[in-house]
Amino acid sequence: MTTLPFPLAETPDAATAERGRKLFAGQVEFLKGVVAMDGLPPADRAEVCFAGRSNVGKSSLINALTGRKGLARASNTPGRTQEINYFTLGADHYLVDLPGYGFAEAPVAVVKRWQALLRAYLAGRQTLRRAFVLVDARHGIKPVDEEIMALLDTAAVTFQCVLTKADKVKPQDQERMLAQVRGKLATHPAAFPEILLTSSEKGEGLETLRAIIAGLA
């Protein structure tokens, strides 16, 4: 039997799902916004980061995962928030929200500064267990997404593709979209060999994503 490259992540068993539920049901708080490497909190626990182009639904996904509507704030101006935002997730994890990329509106100097900070963070954070790269399921992987994936390849940071807004994709279009995503991911050595389909609105995939994060100690 031929196994598809980059299969959809399986629903966790009851015990694994409960561990994820408990992690996200516990204390989740905004810790700080970081604009330079010397502002990073102590590397004393496992952390995961979320990356995605502007308007991919990153804030909505973080809020849905944590069950806290206003935890991550969406900016109406793409690229306006240039900070790496740290959240404590229980006593043993950090959840890190990277600024949205794809800055049509941001000045070149601002973009360069942000890219330098991002490279330094990805290359130098030993406690970073996995990056979750968010991709809009309606559009598949775009060149701007591949730029961040290439950066993660270079930094040797394992990343997992999380497809957002899956509820907006018609069933007849889903396989074509997944084929495109799988084809693009196959060219990236740092890509984790599973894809996640999520919907912040419908709750699809959230239990699985919580369980995956809880298992990254």
Side-chain angles (χ1 to χ4, degrees):
M1 189 174 95
T2 307
T3 305
L4 269 175
F6 300 99
L8 294 176
E10 292 184 4
T11 304
D13 60 43
T16 309
E18 177 61 11
R19 186 166 60 169
R21 187 198 69 77
K22 285 175 77 172
L23 175 64
F24 279 85
Q27 193 173 34
V28 184
E29 291 183 347
F30 174 71
L31 179 65
K32 66 187 304 192
V34 177
V35 294
M37 286 294 285
D38 59 7
L40 292 176
D44 58 0
R45 65 190 75 185
E47 62 190 65
V48 297
C49 70
F50 282 69
R53 63 183 179 79
S54 300
N55 301 327
V56 76
K58 185 156 51 68
S59 297
S60 297
L61 183 63
I62 291 171
N63 291 338
L65 278 171
T66 60
R68 293 158 175 83
K69 285 186 179 177
L71 187 70
R73 293 188 299 274
S75 169
N76 292 327
T77 306
R80 187 175 67 186
T81 306
Q82 299 297 312
E83 296 181 345
I84 295 176
N85 289 311
Y86 265 80
F87 300 89
T88 54
L89 190 57
D92 303 315
H93 288 76
Y94 284 132
L95 190 157
V96 183
D97 181 13
L98 300 178
Y101 52 83
F103 310 105
E105 317 264 330
V108 174
V110 171
V111 176
K112 284 187 174 177
R113 191 163 62 245
W114 175 78
Q115 288 175 335
L117 174 61
L118 181 61
R119 285 194 187 92
Y121 167 73
L122 293 174
R125 196 65 172 169
Q126 299 301 319
T127 45
L128 180 59
R129 295 289 179 263
R130 188 171 301 173
F132 293 95
V133 177
L134 276 51
V135 171
D136 191 322
R138 298 171 299 178
H139 307 304
I141 292 176
K142 290 188 162 189
V144 70
D145 299 311
E146 291 204 85
E147 286 177 26
I148 194 83
M149 291 173 182
L151 200 57
L152 289 157
D153 289 337
T154 303
V157 173
T158 301
F159 71 85
Q160 188 160 5
C161 182
V162 177
L163 294 162
T164 62
K165 307 180 186 182
D167 58 304
K168 310 290 186 194
V169 179
K170 294 175 183 173
Q172 63 266 33
D173 296 330
Q174 185 168 297
E175 281 310 314
R176 185 170 67 246
M177 177 271 294
L178 286 173
Q180 189 264 0
V181 168
R182 287 175 174 132
K184 295 289 187 183
L185 289 177
T187 66
H188 292 282
F192 187 80
E194 275 183 359
I195 298 169
L196 264 163
L197 273 175
T198 66
S199 165
S200 301
E201 209 170 286
K202 306 289 186 186
E204 182 182 353
L206 300 186
E207 179 184 65
T208 304
L209 183 49
R210 289 187 193 111
I212 288 169
I213 293 170
L216 293 169

